[in-house]
Amino acid sequence: MVLDELRTPIVLAPMAGGPSTPELAAAVTDAGGLGFVAAGYLPASELAARIAATRALTAGAFGVNLFYPSEPSPADRFETYVGGLAAEFPVGEPRYDSDDWDAKLDLLTADPVPVVSTTFGCPSAAEIARLHAAGTEVWVTVTTVAEARQAVAAGADVLIAQGAEAGGHRGVFVDDPADDLTDPLGLLTLLQLLRDAVDAPIVAAGGIATGAGVAAALSAGAAAAQLGTAFLRCPEAGTAPVVRAAIVADTPTMLTRAFTGRRARGLRNRFLVEHQDAPVAYPEIHYATGPLRAAARAEGNADAVNLWAGQAHALTPELPAGELVRTLTADAKKALERALSSRIQTY
């Protein structure tokens, strides 16, 4: 198993839409962790190019993350919302696509990588078997015990337990507004529930920004910790300048569908506050808001762009990725040693 071969239990979270780069993935891998290439929003041809670029930068193992396709949304669900945005912002065509799922699966079975992870759903048992036959491990992002059981039954090798603290999109299999009335599970709670319910290695994700956070996840039963926001300020990341500047502020985060039609966590700004009525319609709203987000990034307008970040974003350092991995590893070791030496007594 790939997790057993890592020199440090640190996994790079795939951050689609810009921050994920071959340079970032390779740097994390070369530092002893597991780098990831984010395939979300890319055509299969561009994914192939990024895989090749990553291989040219590192001889180590890395993974590729895929978005599992959702069902199309009826037009009457999002037309009013998009029409309202168009009165104030430049908007694009709200359209559906499968994020090139079939072509990406064909690519990754013909030219396999060590790990393929999925977000927004669990591949079928047949799809997982195809990846296994190519020599690839399959990791599935889960947010509940029910999702974890479904993933294990389908043949998933590893579960990525995404707590509510995580930045970016919630990895839920079905984004149901009825679930908004229930508090999403925090990472520590989710880890405890999963360790009791399923027999599979778990990678912990959500709100981990320091070595102490990594140590806490390992102590709760995770085999590794997955960090995304912590790497946003690394020079190897393709993070937009407006995002780099915003995440260091002590700004609260909130869950929203305003930018994409799927629940995600970002820094609270004017757009999020004023568009809390956004419907569930992904990826249709994602494509509709593409032009307004691009314009805001170009202008450096932090009030009209998606500032995806986890709840511990203010702790994000500005370090090269390899140095950050080494720092996190050393600090995690110190935290574990400190906990054992000063807090645990023999009775």
Side-chain angles (χ1 to χ4, degrees):
M1 182 164 284
V2 171
L3 283 172
D4 297 330
E5 300 171 0
L6 300 180
R7 300 197 307 275
T8 181
I10 293 176
V11 176
L12 172 67
M15 296 176 284
S20 178
T21 65
E23 291 78 11
L24 182 60
V28 171
T29 288
D30 284 347
L34 183 67
F36 257 92
V37 174
Y41 311 127
L42 302 178
S45 58
E46 176 59 24
L47 172 59
R50 295 200 185 189
I51 291 173
T54 306
R55 285 179 174 145
L57 294 169
T58 181
F62 63 90
V64 170
N65 174 259
L66 303 179
F67 287 171
Y68 194 76
S70 56
E71 295 296 321
S73 304
D76 59 4
R77 184 184 297 170
F78 56 78
E79 284 177 333
T80 300
Y81 180 73
V82 173
L85 295 180
E88 183 179 359
F89 301 99
V91 299
E93 177 189 357
R95 60 184 176 85
Y96 172 82
D97 68 26
S98 66
D99 205 48
D100 221 5
W101 170 263
D102 290 335
K104 289 173 182 175
L105 200 60
D106 288 344
L107 168 68
L108 291 166
T109 52
D111 186 18
V113 295
V115 176
V116 167
S117 71
T118 63
T119 304
F120 303 158
C122 180
S124 67
E127 290 168 330
I128 291 178
R130 283 185 64 193
L131 291 165
H132 282 168
T136 297
E137 291 180 15
V138 178
W139 299 10
V140 177
T141 305
V142 300
T143 63
T144 66
V145 169
E147 291 174 349
R149 286 176 171 149
Q150 179 180 336
V152 169
D157 300 286
V158 173
L159 302 176
I160 302 172
Q162 187 197 48
E165 306 94 331
H169 284 105
R170 298 279 295 147
V172 295
F173 291 6
V174 178
D175 187 19
D176 185 351
D179 293 335
D180 294 358
L181 301 177
T182 302
D183 286 340
L185 295 174
L187 179 58
L188 183 57
T189 299
L190 182 59
L191 284 172
Q192 293 175 86
L193 292 172
L194 294 185
R195 295 309 308 146
D196 181 68
V198 295
D199 183 17
I202 297 172
V203 173
I208 303 173
T210 63
V214 173
L218 299 178
S219 297
Q226 180 173 275
L227 295 81
T229 304
F231 287 93
L232 283 176
R233 298 180 70 209
C234 294
E236 299 92 342
T239 312
V242 65
V243 178
R244 288 181 184 271
I247 60 174
V248 298
D250 190 19
T251 306
T253 65
M254 62 183 289
L255 290 169
T256 180
R257 295 186 179 91
F259 284 109
T260 68
R262 187 179 245 279
R263 217 171 183 206
R265 183 175 297 282
L267 302 187
R268 191 169 66 195
N269 61 11
R270 183 174 66 84
F271 193 92
L272 267 60
V273 171
E274 293 181 357
H275 298 92
Q276 298 183 55
D277 60 339
V280 174
Y282 178 88
E284 290 87 356
I285 292 176
H286 162 76
Y287 287 113
T289 66
L292 75 86
R293 289 180 280 123
R297 282 192 294 270
E299 297 168 0
N301 181 2
D303 267 325
V305 70
N306 53 311
L307 303 169
W308 297 153
Q311 288 181 332
H313 63 87
L315 300 175
T316 302
E318 189 172 17
L319 293 172
E323 184 177 344
L324 177 54
V325 171
R326 291 186 287 272
T327 299
L328 290 167
T329 302
D331 289 350
K333 289 181 179 178
K334 292 177 183 176
L336 290 168
E337 291 168 357
R338 184 168 59 249
L340 288 173
S341 63
S342 64
R343 299 298 181 186
I344 304 298
Q345 300 180 19
T346 302
Y347 293 94

